[in-house]
Amino acid sequence: MKARPKIGLGFWDIVWDNVKSIIDKVAIDCTNIGLIVLENYIDIKNKFIIINKWTN
């Protein structure tokens, strides 16, 4: 991580804070979506296991 250039009025600090908050939000959204997909995958897999037990 390189040091940010210092320009008057903390311009880059403001830009960086905005970018960071967007990155954080996207990361949280992706994590939530990932967890939902994982839960659904496990749920579907368990259903298949139950169906396989019945059919065998």
Side-chain angles (χ1 to χ4, degrees):
M1 195 86 184
K2 283 190 283 188
R4 293 183 308 241
K6 284 287 175 210
I7 294 179
L9 302 175
F11 173 76
W12 288 114
D13 285 336
I14 294 164
V15 170
W16 175 244
D17 286 343
N18 288 336
V19 168
K20 201 158 118 20
S21 67
I22 292 166
I23 291 169
D24 288 346
K25 189 186 177 314
V26 169
I28 291 166
D29 288 349
C30 287
T31 302
N32 289 341
I33 291 166
L35 288 174
I36 292 165
V37 168
L38 189 64
E39 281 173 17
N40 288 340
Y41 171 74
I42 291 167
D43 199 37
I44 291 165
K45 203 171 147 205
N46 287 342
K47 284 191 178 87
F48 273 120
I49 290 167
I50 292 165
I51 291 166
N52 282 341
K53 281 182 185 164
W54 280 356
T55 53
N56 286 345

